[in-house]
Amino acid sequence: MTIPATIIPIVIAAFAAYALAWMDFPGRAILIAMVVGLLVVPLQLALIPLLKLHLDIGIGKGYLGTWMAHTGFGLPLAIYLLRNYMVGLPRDIIENAKVDGATDFQIFTKIILPLSFPALASFAIFQFLWTWNDLLVAKVFLIDATGDTTVMTNQIVELLGTRGGNWEILATAAFVSIAVPLVVFFAMQKYLVRGLLAGSVK
């Protein structure tokens, strides 16, 4: 569940951030303001309406619905971080590419994406850690009556049993579950600060 829920918002947010940073179109300022405004919307506020929507269109209580939920909740931060980084890239590079006849898609794939890797890696760390440790979204969008689909965090909670015993097993399982996030963090930590500080200093 974690890998698609990390890749999907990164792909969508990269295209959106490039459009908001370097393409001129009506309503761009309003879209930027909406993205910033969505950063303060509580996750819990949208859970039930979003679940009803997923059930109506037939993707509720499954992995696809959970991926879409994580994508929706992660997109505002992703677009905000990536746009701030892309705005700070040298304008001369973009203008020279356009003079040479490059299309927006070519500029995005061959220039912007390679230069934006620190910001992409920074958001990937946050999104991966959030989805890996998530329990609330999985409880709402994933767990079904038969228990066929579940996540590691839910399995760890179920180790407690109905009376809350065996807490030492819970602690051990939780410690083992942090191995993957630690590997991801230490592998990409050099990009974390560079991505977070993007656009804060001119």
Side-chain angles (χ1 to χ4, degrees):
M1 188 190 74
T2 302
I3 294 176
T6 302
I7 294 176
I8 295 172
I10 288 178
V11 172
I12 298 174
F15 282 101
Y18 173 77
L20 294 176
W22 293 106
M23 297 176 68
D24 293 324
F25 56 90
R28 186 177 69 166
I30 297 176
L31 286 177
I32 295 173
M34 290 176 60
V35 169
V36 175
L38 287 173
L39 289 172
V40 300
V41 175
L43 166 67
Q44 297 81 0
L45 185 66
L47 288 178
I48 302 305
L50 192 57
L51 177 60
K52 290 182 178 179
L53 174 63
H54 284 189
L55 292 174
D56 290 339
I57 63 178
I59 63 172
K61 296 297 183 181
Y63 286 112
L64 179 59
T66 310
W67 295 338
M68 293 300 102
H70 279 300
T71 298
F73 296 138
L75 273 179
L77 177 62
I79 295 173
Y80 181 74
L81 284 178
L82 294 177
R83 180 195 172 272
N84 284 350
Y85 191 89
M86 291 180 184
V87 166
L89 296 176
R91 180 177 294 272
D92 293 341
I93 299 177
I94 311 299
E95 293 177 349
N96 291 339
K98 289 183 178 180
V99 169
D100 291 337
T103 63
D104 283 316
F105 184 76
Q106 290 173 331
I107 294 173
F108 173 73
T109 55
K110 296 182 179 180
I111 298 175
I112 299 298
L113 279 184
L115 293 176
S116 301
F117 186 77
L120 293 170
S122 176
F123 173 73
I125 293 173
F126 280 113
Q127 184 72 1
F128 185 91
L129 294 179
W130 179 42
T131 54
W132 181 270
N133 295 319
D134 174 68
L135 179 62
L136 178 60
V137 174
K139 280 285 190 182
V140 174
F141 292 95
L142 186 61
I143 305 302
D144 55 19
T146 61
D148 292 335
T149 54
T150 187
V151 291
M152 181 179 295
T153 48
N154 187 68
Q155 294 283 47
I156 292 175
V157 171
E158 290 179 355
L159 289 175
L160 280 173
T162 57
R163 300 189 179 185
N166 300 327
W167 61 267
E168 68 280 358
I169 299 177
L170 174 65
T172 305
F175 183 78
V176 172
S177 72
I178 69 173
V180 174
L182 284 178
V183 171
V184 172
F185 177 78
F186 286 117
M188 305 178 73
Q189 65 173 339
K190 63 181 180 180
Y191 302 107
L192 180 61
V193 176
R194 289 171 57 189
L196 289 179
L197 296 180
S200 61
V201 179
K202 294 293 184 183

